[in-house]
Amino acid sequence: MSVLTMAGCTGTGDPARVAGPAPATAAASAEAQLLLARYGLAGKSTVEVIDRLDRLGLQQRPAELKASVRAGELLISDGGQEHSLPIPADRFYLSVGPYLQQTHDCFFHAPTGCKGELAGKQVQVKVVNDADGTVLMDESRTTFANGFVGLWLPRNITGTLQITSDGKTAESKISTSDDAPTCLTTLRLA
C-alpha cells in the first residue's frame, strides 16, 4: 500500500482510491489498531475516530498523524504504512468549511490538516434530500476549531445544503455517492 501524503486538505487524490466504499464488515488490522492506540484512539469505531480528530483543537492535532476521509473509508498513516478503516456502508461524512473572505480547494477532508476561516462560529445547517424533499437535518451547530462542521448523512443521496450564520447564507448541491467529495469549501456566506 502507498504512504498517505498530504498537507492540509487533499485535492482530487488517487482516482483509484475514490471508487467504492470499503466493506462495512472489515475490521481494522492489528497494525491499524496499534497506530490508533498511539494517538489515544484505541477501540474507537471509524465514525468515532473521524469525529474525535475533527473536533481537536488546532494545537492538539498530532502533526505526524495523517488522516483522509473518503466515501467508504478513513485512510490513516503516521509516516509508515497507510491503513484503511471502513466507514459504515449506509453513512457518508461531509465536512463543510463555510467562509466569508478566503477558502482553499479540497476534495477529501483531512481532519488533522484542513483549516477553515470560521472557527467556533454558530451556524444553522439544513440538508434536504432532493429526491423526495425530506429534510434530513435542520439544526444549529458550532464550527469546530478547524473552521469546519461535520455532517453524517445517508449514503447515495443528492441534496441541497444550506448554511446560515449572522444573517448570511450559502447554498450548494451535494452528493453522498462513492465518488463524491468529503470536503466542501465553496460555501461563501453572503
Side-chain angles (χ1 to χ4, degrees):
M1 228 176 241
S2 65
V3 173
L4 178 69
T5 58
M6 69 183 99
C9 288
T10 55
T12 56
D14 177 2
R17 294 305 302 252
V18 176
T25 57
S29 68
E31 293 87 9
Q33 288 301 327
L34 288 172
L35 176 63
L36 292 173
R38 283 197 292 270
Y39 298 98
L41 300 167
K44 304 281 185 214
S45 71
T46 305
V47 169
E48 292 169 323
V49 170
I50 292 169
D51 283 340
R52 173 83 61 88
L53 292 175
D54 227 6
R55 293 172 190 274
L56 287 175
L58 298 181
Q59 300 304 318
Q60 298 170 313
R61 289 177 168 186
E64 53 285 336
L65 180 63
K66 306 300 180 207
S68 181
V69 180
R70 309 299 171 102
E73 64 186 340
L74 172 66
L75 301 177
I76 58 170
S77 173
D78 66 353
Q81 184 178 4
E82 180 180 87
H83 302 282
S84 173
L85 305 175
I87 291 175
D90 62 340
R91 300 182 83 183
F92 185 95
Y93 190 71
L94 178 62
S95 192
V96 181
Y99 74 101
L100 294 169
Q101 301 298 322
Q102 64 185 36
T103 190
H104 59 278
D105 289 335
C106 187
F107 194 88
F108 296 124
H109 182 61
T112 57
C114 284
K115 185 173 184 282
E117 183 183 55
L118 303 176
K121 190 78 169 163
Q122 194 72 25
V123 294
Q124 184 69 28
V125 179
K126 184 175 184 179
V127 179
V128 177
N129 185 335
D130 287 347
D132 60 11
T134 302
V135 176
L136 300 173
M137 181 180 296
D138 190 1
E139 57 192 58
S140 180
R141 297 277 193 94
T142 301
T143 58
F144 306 138
N146 65 5
F148 285 77
V149 61
L151 310 176
W152 284 103
L153 300 168
R155 181 88 59 127
N156 295 319
I157 62 139
T158 56
T160 303
L161 167 66
Q162 184 181 72
I163 302 266
T164 302
S165 182
D166 293 334
K168 296 179 179 183
T169 300
E171 189 172 287
S172 179
K173 294 293 184 185
I174 60 167
S175 169
T176 63
S177 64
D178 289 344
D179 61 353
T182 60
C183 191
L184 181 60
T185 58
T186 58
L187 287 171
R188 183 173 192 166
L189 296 169

